Amino acid sequence: MADDFPPMTSIKRWLVTTNHKDVGILYLATALFFLLFGGILALLFRVQLWSSGGVILSDSAFNQSVTTHGLLMVFWFLSPFAAGFANYFVPLQIGAKDLAFPRLNALSYWFYLFSGLLIGISFFQGGTFEGGWTMYAPLNVPMYTGMEAATGGNTAILALTLFTISITLGTMNFLTTIHRSRAEGMGLWNMPLFTWSWLLTVWMMLFAFAALLAALLLLATDRILLTQYFATDQGSSLLWAHIFWFFGHPEVYIVFFPALGIMFETFQTFTGRRLVGRKWVIIAMVLVAVQSFLVWMHHMYLTTINLEIKTLFMATTIGISLPFDLMVFALIYTMVKGRVRFTTPFLFSLGALVLFILGGITGVFLGAVVLDYEFRGTYWVVAHFHYVMVSGVTALIAGLYYWWPKITGKMYSEALGKLNFAVYFVGFNLLYFPMFLAWETPRRVFHYQEGMEIWHQMATVGAFVFGLSFLIMFYTLGKSLVSGPDAPDNPWQYARTAEWAIPSPPPLENWSGRPSYASGRLEFVDETPAAAPATDGGSPASDGGALTTADAVHGTLDQAHGHGHEEEHADHASIWPFGIGIGMFVFLLGVSGLTPSVAALAEWLDPEWAAEAGISGSVDYLYPAITLAGLAILAYVLFEFGREQFNAPEMAVAERWPFEGVGNTKLGVWFFLASDVVVFGAFIGAYVFMRIYAGWDTWGPVPDHTWAGLLNTYILLTSSFTVILALVMAERGNKKGLIATLGATLLLGLSFMGVKAWEWYDKFLQGDFWFSGLEYSLYYVTTGLHGVHVLLGLFIAVFMLYRIFTIDAYLEDSRPVEFFGLYWHFVDIVWVFLFPLFYLM
């Protein structure tokens, strides 16, 4: 496959590639585009703020610019930019040839790109979402913002939903790869610190983004299907705040941890010494990752939560700052005890440290209940937030300069790089520090009191200086790419991680031999039968090992450039991830415009409710047609994706603790299910929260027929048994038995959906629709999400039966049947929880 792989100068290469380095470059380039997009919006509203009540933008345009700027920077720039580095360098640092699931890696990128295109299109659909990047209820639903701008707002919400799905795919991929594809001898403790920071980042992503996905799905049903999660006064704003900030606070560390990893790497390289207190730093990062899920309510001090709970969360907020103190002091002591070389990457890393310290200290102010009462909703929060988040950007730019020679094979001008840093640092502080002084200005408002004008004008000037620094950066890197001198394999004297032991840029397959740390040093083992394992006393360890000299890195180069034997050749190309991205793009674009048609349906079904709610609409056939077209495209490309023969071999020799006995695909399924537990947990938690808030006895079981729920419980439990029988038949190579048992599972699943359809139809005949009241919204949406999971399982079962009939699949390798069974059992277990909640209580 490598021989037929298109060259990097071909457009086809970038449409079909699944290679982790290519995907990393795509992430980096696309994230920089969204940086420009969000930056231009920022300059627009900074001009608006030159004077109180500025006239450049209308009220709505200002709100759209501020909201989209926040969404783009937090979601479409920061995390994907870090993901670009992770895609490119994590496999190199741990000694892998690629990620565990290359096609899913490409799919994750295409979902990211198309989600960004959706948010761009939303501006042209009557206006995009304008309720702030935190999307607080009830201002996040059309009932309060107006139906005329619903379509653009829907598109923005669906774009973020697709982005969240992209993150979930990437998270599963990286967790599986890092836990099961580390080079021989590389234990977790020995991993490079950037890889460590990314491992903890994706662990946080697995659960945090699942909570955000649940919140967005609930919001999408409110906006498109007119359900009532966030359109009522029955605790809707508190429900949104709980789910959103359960994601939102870990997101701060999700954004900052990769930047922190880059700071660790660059401080080690440019001080010429190992990070002081390395193991304690790792422990501190683990503590922060765990604690990040225990502090979300400090964003909710102004709500009706009682003082005891607020005090508890004030303590957890102070507690989470302590591990950061350790990390900051570790960086300072490393610098003090080393020989600092003030290169461009180190200057940006040092600048990031200085800015983060200021951002962290001002954040502790907000962690105190009394001070938060004063500062919440003001420019103090805006300034603090940017000093933390954009200090992370500063470190990411350090990473761009640090790894640029490795990615491109070209060096850049140090003089231009240092000029870039100087303009950046001045612009940053001129932009954000005056916001502390103008703290009494309400955030997201362009009218401010007399006396604040000078600070806002300084900030606006700073914004343009800050923007200029990025133009200098693009010029510096562009000049390097066009006419820069060739980069050596290791341009930094004390760089010690494995990516510096191979050519710049790295070859397609990364390594010609197998990387190994079995001896405590990096070796490239020639796996040809006639060759003995290659050794070299001058080979480097990972950055957790003992070796630190540049000679050690260069000692591996001859072996890295040698020729090894690969028994199982990996594929690098597939067009179907791109096709699935197009299908999802078209489908979600169609769904975004369904609100008027759904409103017309609601008005027809229940005119009295529609009149009372002020809901009216007319049937528009364009968006339903686009939706159906998207579904048709998805059906075709998913089918071809499933049929494609794609080889992504597991490493024959690797460190796999603590998952030695679990294969890559099975582990990936487990990670997916762990994420789905959080999604269903949020849906069920929303039901419990809203019912308690409204008064548990305000309504009883919504379904009228308990026997229908009980029957469906028996049906699903029986289907779990038939799935187990299907696995037994596959293991025995019994084709007829496998078809019979998998077919029985399919029929039982269809029976479940039939009973559920009858149950819903019976409720409709009684005039109880999904929009008729909060209790009906909770019932239809929660059981509907479960029904979608059942439906997906049925599609998979049909596809598996097709494969069995056509190519006798799963008779020699029964694992796919086992993986399907894991998913099906999970769906059944969820129903065991839903049945008593909705049918008995």
Side-chain angles (χ1 to χ4, degrees), residues 79 91 119 126 184 212 265 309 319 368 403 502 534 540 567 652 662 667 715:
S79 289
I119 204 168
E184 180 187 22
L212 177 62
E265 297 282 3
I309 297 295
W403 281 310
I502 54 177
E567 293 183 1
V662 184
L667 187 59
I715 289 172

Side-chain angles (χ1 to χ4, degrees), residues 49 102 131 175 228 235 265 345 357 480 535 572 700 711 740 742 820 825:
L49 288 163
L175 284 172
Q228 296 184 32
E265 297 282 3
I357 290 172
S480 163
T535 59
H572 293 287
L711 175 61
L742 200 56
F820 170 71
H825 295 323

Side-chain angles (χ1 to χ4, degrees), residues 453-477:
E453 189 172 85
I454 181 62
W455 308 124
H456 284 287
Q457 290 180 350
M458 287 176 64
T460 298
V461 172
F464 281 89
V465 175
F466 195 49
L468 174 63
S469 74
F470 287 97
L471 294 181
I472 296 172
M473 182 188 79
F474 286 122
Y475 173 76
T476 303
L477 299 179

Side-chain angles (χ1 to χ4, degrees), residues 192-194 261-276 278 331 334 339 341 346 402 494-497 543-544 548:
L193 284 166
F194 177 72
I262 290 171
M263 290 163 67
F264 293 146
E265 297 282 3
T266 51
F267 266 67
Q268 289 186 133
T269 295
F270 298 112
T271 61
R273 65 160 294 126
R274 191 165 177 249
L275 186 72
V276 172
R278 182 183 189 278
L331 287 168
T334 302
R339 256 186 202 175
R341 287 174 296 140
F346 182 79
Y402 180 60
Y494 295 108
R496 51 203 256 145
T497 45
D543 89 342
T548 62

Side-chain angles (χ1 to χ4, degrees), residues 709-727:
L710 185 61
L711 175 61
N712 265 345
T713 303
Y714 283 126
I715 289 172
L716 281 188
L717 291 176
T718 305
S719 71
S720 271
F721 178 67
T722 58
V723 165
I724 294 171
L725 289 179
L727 178 58

Side-chain angles (χ1 to χ4, degrees), residues 470-615:
F470 287 97
L471 294 181
I472 296 172
M473 182 188 79
F474 286 122
Y475 173 76
T476 303
L477 299 179
K479 185 173 182 292
S480 163
L481 201 58
V482 172
S483 59
D486 290 340
D489 296 332
N490 180 16
W492 316 122
Q493 185 178 358
Y494 295 108
R496 51 203 256 145
T497 45
E499 71 268 27
W500 302 109
I502 54 177
S504 300
L508 180 67
E509 301 283 357
N510 294 350
W511 331 95
S512 51
R514 173 173 61 83
S516 172
Y517 291 91
S519 67
R521 304 171 186 275
L522 175 59
E523 302 167 347
F524 290 89
V525 180
D526 189 343
E527 296 182 309
T528 53
T535 59
D536 187 334
S539 299
S542 69
D543 89 342
L547 206 65
T548 62
T549 66
D551 291 338
V553 177
H554 289 297
T556 65
L557 293 178
D558 291 339
Q559 295 172 44
H561 298 176
H563 300 283
H565 174 69
E566 184 72 26
E567 293 183 1
E568 197 173 7
H569 195 81
D571 291 334
H572 293 287
S574 173
I575 192 62
W576 302 117
F578 175 67
I580 296 171
I582 290 177
M584 283 296 289
F585 172 78
V586 174
F587 171 67
L588 293 179
L589 184 63
V591 170
S592 70
L594 296 182
T595 305
S597 299
V598 173
L601 175 63
E603 194 174 18
W604 177 67
L605 290 172
D606 195 338
E608 186 177 338
W609 174 86
E612 185 179 339
I615 296 295

Side-chain angles (χ1 to χ4, degrees), residues 253-315:
Y253 307 112
I254 287 168
V255 165
F256 194 74
F257 264 34
L260 200 57
I262 290 171
M263 290 163 67
F264 293 146
E265 297 282 3
T266 51
F267 266 67
Q268 289 186 133
T269 295
F270 298 112
T271 61
R273 65 160 294 126
R274 191 165 177 249
L275 186 72
V276 172
R278 182 183 189 278
K279 288 191 176 181
W280 288 106
V281 166
I282 294 172
I283 292 170
M285 286 198 294
V286 172
L287 286 174
V288 169
V290 174
Q291 287 179 271
S292 68
F293 291 94
L294 305 176
V295 296
W296 80 92
M297 267 194 264
H298 73 210
H299 294 274
M300 301 167 62
Y301 286 156
L302 297 187
T303 66
T304 55
I305 297 168
N306 65 55
L307 183 59
E308 289 78 7
I309 297 295
K310 292 176 183 177
T311 305
L312 172 63
F313 277 83
M314 181 172 69

